[in-house]
Amino acid sequence: GLGGPADQAAVAIASVMMIGRAVLLVALLAPFAFRPVAAIVGPALLVSIFAAAILLYPIRRAPAEVAGPRVKAPGLGLAFLFAATVAALALATAWVQSRFGAGSGAVVIAVGGTADIDAAIAAVGALPPGSLPTRSVALAIAAPVLFNTVFKLALLVAIGGWRGSWRGAVALGAASFALGLSIFLAAA
């Protein structure tokens, strides 16, 4: 199982960071899509914040743990890989959109976002203004956020077992449910 209450809280905090980072990146790189993305993803972010607060409460007076090993900063190769991914997604999106029209490029963003949500958001920002419907963009960004959250939930339970990870699993499950419901309502 997981190490204890701090690990369970860390799961919820990581969810807050991932969802919050996606919303922040949209605000910075694709500001035209900020409002609809925030409207869809916002409820899941609020659920994650609430879950993190609940899971942090019991450990608020626990002694601090010693920091782990130093983490090495990613190299320049990772930056080039990110740039290549953004370029590939932007080109594929533009091609699919010109070939099939009607917001079809958003499917490329959603599928590409399952591998790298940051690159998908940057690709949206690199597209010419108005090339994709804003609602389609918002759904295309929200879908990989949901995928990422559900994937982390599955990994957590698979690695930690239900008994050892149920608090973190409930936090991720609640965020997934909130996001899934928001996507369903926005798509309807």
Side-chain angles (χ1 to χ4, degrees):
L2 296 176
D7 290 335
Q8 300 288 317
V11 168
I13 292 168
S15 179
V16 170
M17 297 302 292
M18 185 272 296
I19 297 170
R21 186 185 78 238
V23 172
L24 178 64
L25 283 175
V26 169
L28 295 173
L29 301 176
F32 72 93
F34 175 73
R35 287 188 113 152
V37 168
I40 295 172
V41 177
L45 180 59
L46 292 175
V47 167
S48 293
I49 290 168
F50 183 70
I54 288 173
L55 293 174
L56 282 170
Y57 184 77
I59 61 169
R60 68 192 181 286
R61 296 176 201 249
E65 295 182 23
V66 178
R70 275 183 55 132
V71 177
K72 183 179 174 186
L76 191 56
L78 188 59
F80 285 127
L81 179 61
F82 179 76
T85 304
V86 170
L89 276 172
L91 285 172
T93 301
W95 180 81
V96 167
Q97 185 68 18
S98 70
R99 177 109 168 126
F100 301 105
S104 58
V107 174
V108 174
I109 295 296
V111 171
T114 61
D116 188 343
I117 185 67
D118 300 341
I121 293 167
V124 167
L127 293 173
S131 60
L132 289 174
T134 306
R135 180 174 159 218
S136 297
V137 168
L139 291 168
I141 290 171
V145 172
L146 176 60
F147 173 81
N148 186 294
T149 306
V150 171
F151 186 71
K152 287 178 181 174
L153 170 62
L155 282 177
L156 177 68
V157 173
I159 294 169
W162 178 251
R163 202 174 277 206
S165 63
W166 73 269
R167 289 174 186 86
V170 167
L172 289 175
S176 297
F177 178 79
L179 185 50
L181 182 60
S182 291
I183 290 171
F184 176 77
L185 292 173

